[in-house]
Amino acid sequence: MAVVIAVANQKGGVGKSTSAVNLAAALGKRGKKVLCIDSDAQGNLTSGFGIKKKSLEYSVYDALLGRKPLSETIVKTDFENVSVVPATSDLAGADIELIELENRQSRMKMQILTVKAEYDYIFIDCPPSLSLLTVNALCASDSVIIPMQCEFHALEGLSQLVESIKLVRLRFNPNLDIEGILFTMYDGRLQLTAQVVNEVKKHFPTKTFETVIPRNVRLSEAPSYGMPCIYYDKNSKGAQSYETLADEITAKHRKYIK
Ligand SMILES: Nc1ncnc2c1ncn2[C@@H]1O[C@H](COP(=O)(O)OP(=O)(O)OP(=O)(O)O)[C@@H](O)[C@H]1O
Ligand SMILES: [Mg+2]
């Protein structure tokens, strides 16, 4: 059974999609079967794997609204062991359309259950909001990766997100865990970086990944070639940091996944 991991932070541009794409690709390369679900109307995860949105027949939107089973929305990527449930701009209306439906917060979960046995890891790339789409992802997940940039307001954002995680635990998904807080676009030369890292570690001593993701131009170039950075330039610092993160995560899940 797959471990289901949401990649969430309501703050925009902190590295959610970059982390989902590269972590999935790194795990796929290690022989793990990975499904990546794009749950953001921007579709950055979809295009990050080189999937052309115009060519798509179905997307995550159809699965969430119950028009197609999730299994029929899955597309194979050109990258080892990684499949994707793509998102298109249709998804922008989903938050409002979902409100009217039964089990509106557990639609993603119900869909994932139908394919969970076929994968080792399922990642859900969340939009930059605490919307119903993010709540669906949190309800469907075993744990959450929280990418975060070491900025002044980052801690406020983090406590808001943690409050939402607690609410989801209380109401829908008592076993939801924090997989880890991941520092992205890390620049150890900045004083602010050290301050934010120390604050976060003080509040979440056991929930901070050892691996940090440096600011690296290769990570930002790769999506325009429709490739995870670990394929685009595997020797770059950015790619290597996601390889190390994949090792850190598999070490933790070794108990469950061979
Ligand atoms: N470690 C990094 N170094 C340099 N650039 C990065 C890094 N991580 C991400 N980027 C770039 O920063 C931008 C935002 O990253 P990304 O799209 O992964 O964030 P996001 O949290 O998914 O954004 P959104 O909230 O809009 O979905 C992108 O242009 C991406 O290429
Ligand atoms: Mg994104």
Side-chain angles (χ1 to χ4, degrees):
M1 276 292 196
V3 178
V4 184
I5 303 177
V7 184
N9 189 334
Q10 75 279 13
K11 188 147 178 18
V14 294
K16 293 180 287 295
S17 304
T18 305
S19 299
V21 166
N22 285 289
L23 199 49
L27 290 166
K29 258 193 176 173
R30 285 161 174 69
K32 307 291 181 205
K33 281 192 251 151
V34 186
L35 178 66
C36 265
I37 302 177
D38 194 344
S39 196
D40 181 3
Q42 299 179 92
N44 294 341
L45 178 124
T46 304
S47 51
F49 279 111
I51 296 165
K52 304 267 179 295
K53 290 177 203 161
K54 282 195 186 129
S55 68
L56 295 169
E57 220 172 327
Y58 304 113
S59 71
V60 68
Y61 175 80
D62 300 290
L64 285 172
L65 291 203
R67 296 177 182 175
K68 274 282 156 196
L70 191 74
S71 59
E72 289 182 35
T73 67
I74 295 173
V75 280
K76 285 225 158 70
T77 69
D78 294 339
F79 309 100
E80 248 177 289
N81 296 316
V82 181
S83 296
V84 165
V85 175
T88 60
S89 53
D90 290 354
L91 196 61
D95 261 299
I96 291 168
E97 288 170 80
L98 281 171
I99 288 177
E100 320 240 299
L101 302 180
E102 228 180 300
N103 304 320
R104 60 186 176 215
Q105 77 290 335
S106 55
R107 300 213 137 220
M108 181 70 91
K109 180 183 178 144
M110 292 186 311
Q111 289 298 326
I112 286 179
L113 282 175
T114 64
V115 300
K116 211 173 165 178
E118 291 160 45
Y119 297 93
D120 296 313
Y121 287 94
I122 298 178
F123 291 98
I124 311 172
D125 185 24
C126 294
S129 67
L130 292 171
S131 61
L132 202 40
L133 285 175
T134 299
V135 171
N136 261 274
L138 295 178
C139 287
S141 295
D142 298 302
S143 64
V144 198
I145 291 177
I146 306 175
M148 129 170 214
Q149 234 178 309
C150 297
E151 292 176 331
F152 182 64
H153 290 298
L155 281 160
E156 282 167 43
L158 180 61
S159 39
Q160 257 180 334
L161 178 57
V162 169
E163 281 311 307
S164 303
I165 292 172
K166 283 183 185 162
L167 268 178
V168 168
R169 263 188 206 142
L170 209 62
R171 297 194 48 196
F172 309 115
N173 185 4
N175 297 322
L176 179 63
D177 194 7
I178 295 178
E179 184 75 33
I181 297 162
L182 176 66
F183 298 114
T184 58
M185 303 180 222
Y186 186 91
D187 183 347
R189 294 167 304 179
L190 303 177
Q191 218 179 358
L192 185 59
T193 301
Q195 281 170 7
V196 173
V197 168
N198 285 341
E199 258 327 278
V200 172
K201 284 191 170 162
K202 203 161 82 190
H203 291 291
F204 303 94
T206 61
K207 296 291 179 196
T208 311
F209 285 115
E210 265 176 52
T211 311
V212 297
I213 310 299
R215 185 175 286 283
N216 178 252
V217 69
R218 297 308 223 186
L219 283 170
S220 56
E221 289 167 1
S224 57
Y225 295 92
M227 282 181 175
C229 190
I230 67 157
Y231 283 85
Y232 170 65
D233 182 355
K234 68 176 178 5
N235 296 320
S236 62
K237 286 224 160 67
Q240 287 181 350
S241 65
Y242 280 107
E243 296 276 12
T244 312
L245 180 65
D247 288 335
E248 193 177 339
I249 289 178
T250 45
K252 188 170 156 195
H253 292 288
R254 201 164 289 145
K255 297 195 283 258
Y256 315 109
I257 301 168
K258 275 188 223 88

